Amino acid sequence: MRTSWTGAGAIAMTLLLAASMAPLPVLLAEHEPEPDRFWLDLDGPDRLLGGEEGSMVTAMYLCTLAHRGDGPGAQGWTIVITAENVTPLSISTAGTDAERFLGEVAFERSLLTSWGEVQAAVSTVVLSLVEQVTLPPRSIHSIARLEVETAIPRGEGTAVLAYSDSPPGVDGPFLNLITQQGDTFTPFKGRAVVGLVEAPDCCRARLSLGFSRGRVRSPLPFRGIVDESDGCRGSDGEIVTRMRDGDGIVVVHANAISRLEDARAGVEGWTIVVGLEGDAEMDFATTGGTAGAPAPEGYRRAVSFEKTEIIPPGERFGGVRGAVSGVVLGLNTPVSLPARGTESIIKLGVAPASAEGDGEGDGEGDADRIATLRFLDDLGGSGQPVDTLFNVAGATERACNTDFSGVTLVFTGGAVFTRGDANDDGDHDVAD
């Protein structure tokens, strides 16, 4: 069904009218003027996980606008995002950088539309009709939030979100345009290719993985695991920590989750690879204080094997960051984790990345940093690459959710309430 609405001609006229009412002076530069260029892109998950075939999944993407050049920045824009194998639900400036820069007399209009079988979301904004308001130049800003929904196919599929102009003959038409100082620019248009994955239900699986903030040593599977999924996939959860006094390191534990039938045959060893993406760096990785530590702190016997390393920077593994750990609990004595329960097996320290340009970036008041931890394969430290695998009764097994388990880390400069940490000092003790 097509939705009628004011087309690009009227949109461009509105933008030009706003520019003429609020002229901006051209800044004289001492260097050779750099031509103005604008880029549109999308920031959001690169895969959507669902349960059985046909289950519905929603996701949110930030629409971003980047600028380079000597101009004062964008005064207004129209963006058009087409959707393939995914349905737009809403688009707005709520919660974006653009919302913060809207003047008292601004113009904003959003709609969902279609032409033929193509579905699209359109957003037009003029920051001010009467004032000289622009987005800060030579930087990247979020200008819209796009919510989408899709049905998970059998096995795997692909969805595409792309900045695309409507074809000739469509009422409107709808075009991606940026306005600066009364001039209209055609931006570089990005796209997001999103994997659609039918993820298994791991609630009764023999072996699973998951992340927790503190150490877990429990006879209950999935006890303490950060998990917002509906199928025990150990995914979609967040750990929020406060950056304070130059030390914003968050400690995260990776855990083995067992539901093995034979009470005498638990996990005897493992290789674990944890990848880190986003605005953070791996500070340390250790089996100390986990099930991989020597007894009695852990389960490892005197004659055993343990090696844990941070993945070294460089191109050997394509620049992937993270940590790898290999453990055999006993080389000459049969020893294993409990056949049923949750046990932390590696402890990771993750620090927020420094703010660009300030050289510090870990103190209070800094902008939030966001990073993700996931389990990976075919990576290593100083030795040969390994996969994330467990050893049970002499045979290797792969966890049900290895490809799906992960956690988002949010480092914030604001106050964070953590249950049991009433005085917000990062510890759980009598002072609370």
Side-chain angles (χ1 to χ4, degrees):
M1 178 179 180
R2 180 178 299 150
T3 303
S4 298
W5 188 54
T6 304
I11 291 171
M13 183 177 295
T14 302
L15 298 178
L16 291 171
L17 177 62
S20 65
M21 296 178 67
L24 292 172
V26 178
L27 302 178
L28 296 178
E30 297 180 358
H31 61 282
E32 185 71 21
E34 182 180 357
D36 288 287
R37 290 173 290 176
F38 294 90
W39 287 263
L40 291 171
D41 212 340
L42 291 150
D43 186 9
D46 59 5
R47 64 177 182 172
L48 301 180
L49 307 178
E52 61 184 14
E53 178 187 5
S55 61
M56 302 303 295
V57 179
T58 60
M60 189 277 292
Y61 290 83
L62 282 177
C63 305
T64 62
L65 174 61
H67 169 250
R68 286 189 64 181
D70 289 330
Q75 290 174 279
W77 53 84
T78 294
I79 59 173
V80 186
I81 304 160
T82 57
E84 178 184 336
N85 292 336
V86 65
T87 302
L89 295 179
S90 66
I91 185 169
S92 75
T93 60
T96 68
D97 296 332
E99 183 184 43
R100 296 190 294 110
F101 288 98
L102 289 174
E104 291 186 6
V105 184
F107 177 85
E108 179 182 4
R109 186 76 177 270
S110 301
L111 84 157
L112 305 178
T113 187
S114 63
W115 47 85
E117 296 182 357
V118 177
Q119 299 186 74
V122 183
S123 175
T124 295
V125 172
V126 180
L127 293 176
S128 178
L129 297 173
V130 296
E131 299 177 286
Q132 300 178 6
V133 180
T134 70
L135 294 178
R138 295 170 291 282
S139 52
I140 302 174
H141 299 283
S142 57
I143 59 173
R145 292 170 65 98
L146 174 67
E147 186 179 13
V148 299
E149 180 181 61
T150 188
I152 296 297
R154 179 181 296 277
E156 296 185 1
T158 301
V160 179
L161 296 169
Y163 291 93
S164 303
D165 299 335
S166 62
V170 172
D171 290 345
F174 299 105
L175 306 176
N176 289 276
L177 299 171
I178 312 297
T179 297
Q180 175 185 259
Q181 288 188 309
D183 295 325
T184 300
F185 295 79
T186 299
F188 296 91
K189 297 183 279 287
R191 67 203 301 257
V193 178
V194 184
L196 307 177
V197 182
E198 183 186 9
D201 186 320
C202 296
C203 291
R204 292 179 175 82
R206 284 170 52 84
L207 294 169
S208 298
L209 290 159
F211 292 97
S212 64
R213 181 147 194 175
R215 178 182 180 178
V216 181
R217 194 173 191 175
S218 171
L220 301 178
F222 273 91
R223 168 69 73 176
I225 299 300
V226 179
D227 182 20
E228 297 296 329
S229 70
D230 58 2
C232 301
R233 292 188 292 272
S235 62
D236 304 331
E238 288 186 351
I239 294 176
V240 182
T241 190
R242 183 182 177 186
M243 298 182 288
R244 58 159 76 78
D245 302 328
D247 180 10
I249 295 175
V250 61
V251 176
V252 182
H253 292 73
N255 299 268
I257 303 161
S258 304
R259 290 187 182 85
L260 301 171
E261 299 83 2
D262 188 346
R264 299 167 296 176
V267 171
E268 301 166 336
W270 55 83
T271 53
I272 297 292
V273 183
V274 179
L276 172 64
E277 298 178 348
D279 301 326
E281 299 293 339
M282 192 69 71
D283 188 74
F284 67 81
T286 179
T287 56
T290 75
E297 184 179 37
Y299 292 87
R300 187 156 52 89
R301 297 298 187 257
V303 182
S304 59
F305 173 84
E306 186 274 334
K307 188 171 186 178
T308 302
E309 296 179 295
I310 292 176
I311 297 174
E315 296 304 317
R316 183 185 178 201
F317 297 110
V320 174
R321 297 168 295 154
V324 59
S325 180
V327 171
V328 179
L329 295 175
L331 292 175
N332 61 359
T333 304
V335 58
S336 66
L337 301 181
R340 184 178 181 86
T342 305
E343 294 283 347
S344 296
I345 56 177
I346 181 173
K347 180 166 65 175
L348 306 167
V350 183
S354 297
E356 185 176 349
D358 67 7
E360 298 178 1
D362 292 340
E364 285 188 36
D366 286 340
D368 290 358
R369 316 279 200 279
I370 299 177
T372 303
L373 291 173
R374 295 188 185 280
F375 295 101
L376 300 176
D377 289 321
D378 198 28
L379 294 171
S382 58
Q384 295 299 310
V386 298
D387 294 337
T388 295
L389 296 169
F390 292 102
N391 186 279
V392 180
T396 56
E397 294 191 30
R398 186 173 175 83
C400 173
N401 61 346
T402 302
D403 294 331
F404 314 111
S405 183
V407 66
T408 298
L409 308 179
V410 181
F411 301 89
T412 180
V416 176
F417 171 74
T418 303
R419 188 175 301 278
D421 185 15
N423 62 357
D424 191 34
D425 65 355
D427 296 319
H428 297 78
D429 50 32
V430 294
D432 298 307

